[in-house]
Amino acid sequence: MAERIEKDVVALVGAGGIGIARLGKSNMRVSRLALGTMNFGVRTDEAEAFRIMDRALELGVNLFDTANVYGITSGRPDGQGITEELIGRWFAQGGDRRERTILATKVAGPMNERIYGPNDVRGYSGFKLRRQLDESLARLQTDHVDLYQLHLYDPLANKGDILSAFEQLQAQGKAFYLGTCNHAGRHLAYWNAAAERSRVLGPVSEQHPYNLLERTAELEVIPATQELDLGLIAFRPLCAGKLSGSAHAAAGGRREKAMAALSA
């Protein structure tokens, strides 16, 4: 499947199709195709992940997306953080890899760390953003991320607290822009209103599942991103493999179960 996708990307490059887009109100320029890394270190071994990232840069893909919890599906009790660590080792090779990459990571999920005690739960707070970004930076072997995303919507989080914490991280040069992920259209409006009250920029993008089989984003999310000048980062473009053809031949795992459910 990786070879097929690479051929498709090469074909897009040849047709001038990847292109560059501004990421919402940030005005930061990113490639229209992003590289997702959720399986790096889990289903994709380190050598292959390194090859994929090198090839992506070569083809003009500069937006790489990860999350602090990626690696959780490895089955290891301490799996969270595996993917960020792998990307950090890739950056450590040098060759301007970090400088050429627009790096996005996420926060919200539990990290299975006893030191967090009752704070190691789904959701976020200013406390959690400050501490977990520092840990992400250490794993990624970098001094900043370009886009720090809230991995889910937390109705209990105080938006003023989150925006204040992010302002501090931004002032320290640890994160350049704030983004959201898996938010509904109304949630994006809530964040925009909170940012206006706080007189700050607020989130500049929303990452959301969007493909031929999952199109609910067209109802609220896409209109909201257009109205609020937010970049839209569409993930799961092949619906977790269901649109690639490879899922039909899958032996076990969530993709085989997903295909069975789809055919039922």
Side-chain angles (χ1 to χ4, degrees):
M1 180 180 171
E3 289 76 13
R4 279 183 51 196
I5 293 175
E6 181 176 348
K7 288 179 181 178
D8 290 342
V9 173
V10 170
L12 277 173
V13 172
I18 282 190
I20 297 295
R22 58 186 286 275
L23 190 65
K25 63 183 76 171
S26 76
N27 213 29
M28 180 169 62
R29 263 54 177 180
V30 298
S31 53
R32 287 188 177 274
L33 288 183
L35 178 64
T37 63
M38 188 174 75
N39 284 324
F40 286 6
V42 182
R43 297 174 64 93
T44 305
D45 65 34
E46 185 160 316
E48 180 68 0
F50 281 19
R51 188 192 74 80
I52 290 171
M53 289 188 283
D54 282 335
R55 186 63 168 143
L57 281 184
E58 181 184 341
L59 293 172
V61 177
N62 72 347
L63 177 57
F64 288 18
D65 177 72
T66 191
N68 62 351
V69 295
Y70 285 177
I72 192 172
T73 56
S74 66
R76 286 173 41 182
D78 60 344
Q80 293 93 326
I82 285 176
T83 302
E84 286 187 333
E85 289 173 351
L86 184 153
I87 295 171
R89 291 191 291 274
W90 179 71
F91 284 147
Q93 295 178 103
D96 294 329
R97 285 175 171 84
R98 176 63 187 96
E99 291 76 13
R100 295 165 62 196
T101 301
I102 302 296
L103 178 62
T105 193
K106 310 182 194 76
V107 62
M111 293 297 289
N112 197 27
E113 291 280 1
R114 287 189 302 170
I115 59 172
Y116 288 130
N119 286 291
D120 195 24
V121 294
R122 283 170 59 91
Y124 37 81
S125 62
F127 167 85
K128 193 169 186 177
L129 261 67
R130 294 181 184 94
R131 287 191 59 170
Q132 295 201 356
L133 178 57
D134 282 341
E135 294 180 5
S136 283
L137 295 178
R139 287 189 291 266
L140 290 162
Q141 299 191 46
T142 186
D143 62 356
H144 75 281
V145 295
D146 302 287
L147 182 65
Y148 199 35
Q149 301 163 105
L150 305 174
H151 208 160
L152 50 83
Y153 182 70
D154 182 358
L156 300 179
N158 182 296
K159 293 176 178 58
D161 175 44
I162 300 302
L163 292 171
S164 175
F166 183 77
E167 268 197 292
Q168 292 177 12
L169 297 173
Q170 193 177 46
Q172 293 165 359
K174 295 179 179 180
F176 292 171
Y177 294 106
L178 181 66
T180 61
C181 183
N182 296 309
H183 282 47
R186 66 185 183 280
H187 300 149
L188 303 180
Y190 298 160
W191 276 112
N192 186 70
E196 288 184 347
R197 287 195 300 271
S198 298
R199 298 176 183 249
V200 296
L201 185 63
V204 302
S205 62
E206 159 65 7
Q207 187 172 159
H208 211 82
Y210 186 45
N211 56 65
L212 290 174
L213 296 179
E214 298 176 285
R215 299 179 60 183
T216 54
E218 296 174 1
L219 300 177
E220 284 188 2
V221 172
I222 292 177
T225 60
Q226 293 171 335
E227 179 68 24
L228 301 173
D229 193 19
L230 302 175
L232 177 65
I233 303 173
F235 73 90
R236 212 153 58 215
L238 296 178
C239 198
K242 291 195 279 290
L243 294 171
S244 71
S246 64
H248 291 282
R254 62 186 177 88
R255 284 179 172 81
E256 185 180 44
K257 293 175 184 177
M259 285 304 299
L262 189 66
S263 304

